[in-house]
């Protein structure tokens, strides 16, 4: 079966979005420091995370997901900030970025970020079960998925991924296909900030055995 349209759209979107990092002279650059934490779950995770300061989050245009570019300890990166459910944001730092920035859990790192404009929004990674559902859906649904914006695709995926139970996730995937078939371009009644339905939160930091 041929790849769904979202796959090609994702490749194109990522190649367009992987461009210049934020310049420190720009007035819209947000500068702050934050502590890197190791998540308590999953055990043995190789990634770390940090919570943006309240002042830094307040300067962003949305309480929901925001894609940014910038530097961490001087190393350029591009990522999508996640809402912490309290009006703020957190950033997942993968192992490659952490190592290139010379930072590890427990370190305080320096960041400079700025929000990407809508036309440079990167394509979200489409989960395997969503890709499978799209491949099995009608051509009309696949065309509708390919025709919406990267931000809209991200919202659908975010809504699906925020489900706590496997049954809820499966139902949301089916509902997403139904919404697309009916011409809807965004999931309805979805609290993108997590502030009201408490469906989103920042990871819990692992306890440092050294007590630091």
């Amino acid at each position: 079966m041929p790849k769904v349209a979202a796959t090609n759209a994702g490749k194109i979107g990522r190649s367009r979005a992987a461009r210049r990092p934020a310049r420190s002279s720009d007035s819209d650059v947000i500068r702050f420091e934050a502590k890197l934490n190791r998540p308590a779950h999953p055990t043995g995770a190789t990634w770390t995370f940090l919570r943006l300061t309240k002042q830094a989050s307040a300067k962003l245009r949305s309480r929901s997901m925001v894609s940014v570019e910038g530097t961490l300890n001087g190393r350029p990166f591009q990522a999508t900030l996640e809402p912490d459910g309290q009006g703020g944001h957190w950033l997942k730092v993968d192992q490659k970025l952490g190592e290139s920035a010379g930072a590890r859990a427990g370190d305080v790192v320096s960041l400079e970020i700025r929000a990407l404009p809508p036309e440079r929004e990167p394509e979200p990674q489409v989960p395997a079960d969503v890709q499978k559902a799209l491949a099995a859906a009608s051509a009309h649904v696949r065309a509708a998925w390919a025709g919406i914006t990267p931000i809209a695709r991200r919202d659908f995926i975010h809504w699906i991924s925020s489900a706590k139970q496997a049954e809820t996730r499966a139902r949301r995937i089916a509902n997403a296909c139904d919404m697309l078939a009916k011409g809807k371009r965004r999931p309805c009644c979805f609290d993108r900030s997590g502030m009201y339905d408490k469906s989103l939160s920042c990871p819990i930091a692992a306890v440092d055995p050294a007590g630091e």
Side-chain angles (χ1 to χ4, degrees):
M1 181 176 291
K3 295 283 187 180
V4 295
T7 303
N8 289 333
K11 292 179 179 178
I12 294 171
R14 283 190 291 271
S15 66
R16 288 177 177 170
R19 296 178 182 174
R20 62 191 182 284
R23 294 171 293 179
S24 58
S25 59
D26 289 353
S27 60
D28 54 355
V29 172
I30 302 170
R31 299 176 178 86
F32 64 99
E33 293 185 342
K35 181 180 178 180
L36 277 183
N37 297 290
R38 183 78 63 194
H41 301 286
T43 303
T46 59
W47 53 274
T48 54
F49 73 95
L50 61 86
R51 198 171 205 152
L52 275 68
T53 63
K54 290 183 178 180
Q55 294 84 353
S57 279
K59 294 179 181 179
L60 295 168
R61 61 174 177 258
S62 172
R63 301 305 92 209
S64 62
M65 299 174 79
V66 179
S67 293
V68 300
E69 64 180 359
T71 61
L72 189 153
N73 279 359
R75 303 300 299 179
F77 75 96
Q78 189 178 100
T80 298
L81 304 176
E82 300 275 353
D84 65 4
Q86 299 178 35
H89 301 82
W90 64 277
L91 170 67
K92 181 177 180 179
V93 179
D94 62 30
Q95 185 176 13
K96 183 178 180 180
L97 175 57
E99 290 177 349
S100 67
R104 59 183 181 179
D107 291 348
V108 174
V109 295
S110 298
L111 296 98
E112 294 186 0
I113 61 171
R114 67 174 175 185
L116 290 173
E119 63 271 17
R120 290 188 56 212
E121 178 70 27
E123 276 293 334
Q125 184 174 356
V126 184
D129 53 355
V130 176
Q131 289 195 42
K132 183 178 179 180
L134 288 169
S138 68
H140 174 66
V141 169
R142 293 196 296 273
W145 176 261
I148 60 179
T149 66
I151 293 177
R153 282 191 284 270
R154 185 192 71 189
D155 280 352
F156 269 113
I157 293 169
H158 197 200
W159 173 59
I160 290 167
S161 300
S162 67
K164 296 289 191 291
Q165 303 294 329
E167 295 82 359
T168 304
R169 181 185 178 97
R171 185 168 61 251
R172 288 187 180 182
I173 291 174
N175 287 342
C177 289
D178 183 61
M179 284 186 240
L180 290 165
K182 294 177 179 177
K184 294 183 179 180
R185 303 178 68 83
R186 292 284 183 92
C188 63
C189 307
F190 174 43
D191 175 18
R192 295 171 178 81
S193 70
M195 296 172 63
Y196 307 103
D197 63 11
K198 308 302 180 184
S199 62
L200 306 170
S201 63
C202 181
I204 297 173
V207 177
D208 187 341
E212 298 179 356

